[in-house]
Amino acid sequence: MSPDCIFCKIAGRQEPADIIYEDEEAIVFKDINPSAPIHLLVCPKEHYSTFLKTPPEVLPMLQDVIRKVAKQLEIDESGFRMIINNGRGGGQIIFHLHIHLLAGKRLGGF
Ligand code: 5GP
Ligand code: ZN
């Protein structure tokens, strides 16, 4: 728990969020400023500031969570996009690791 971190506070239920999935290690909630009809933030409950600072074993745990959530929301077949912004130059604003999960409209390719 990092005292000034909003996502730690959401994980600790000290700040509200629209939570759509939770287990012992992870929490998934709606982005407050969505970029797609479905825009979720998939977070470990443990605080890691960036992707590069995250222990590698956390990532398969988040992959399992995404698999479950995608099935729950029935976007496992239709498709979705995942984004991790790493560091300020990568567009990261909240320094608690999160994977953006976007779906619900046809997303263009790069
Ligand atoms: P980043 O740019 O760090 O990858 O993305 C941070 C995301 O968190 C942004 O899409 C932003 O809209 C979202 N966000 C920022 N503050 C809050 C908050 O207090 N609650 C929720 N649900 N989302 C937030
Ligand atoms: Zn945090």
Side-chain angles (χ1 to χ4, degrees):
M1 167 96 193
S2 182
D4 295 326
C5 173
I6 181 71
F7 287 1
C8 281
K9 286 181 181 159
I10 289 172
R13 302 294 185 119
Q14 293 163 283
E15 286 289 338
D18 205 338
I19 296 166
I20 70 122
Y21 174 90
E22 183 176 16
D23 62 26
E24 271 187 18
E25 293 182 301
I27 189 158
V28 181
F29 50 90
K30 290 185 182 175
D31 195 294
I32 208 167
N33 184 22
S35 301
I38 296 173
H39 186 171
L40 305 175
L41 301 171
V42 180
C43 305
K45 288 188 172 175
E46 198 74 41
H47 181 90
Y48 307 110
S49 58
T50 69
F51 174 75
L52 290 181
K53 298 246 169 78
T54 302
E57 65 272 16
V58 173
L59 297 170
M61 181 276 286
L62 295 176
Q63 184 183 16
D64 281 347
V65 169
I66 289 168
R67 190 177 286 113
K68 283 183 205 161
V69 168
K71 200 167 169 44
Q72 183 183 315
L73 298 178
E74 300 181 332
I75 54 170
D76 50 339
E77 297 290 333
S78 53
F80 55 89
R81 174 175 292 167
M82 294 166 293
I83 296 172
I84 301 176
N85 297 323
N86 189 76
R88 281 193 206 288
Q92 188 175 3
I93 291 166
I94 305 290
F95 281 75
H96 177 128
L97 175 75
H98 53 280
I99 302 175
H100 295 259
L101 180 59
L102 299 144
K105 68 175 183 188
R106 189 141 188 104
L107 299 159
F110 287 102

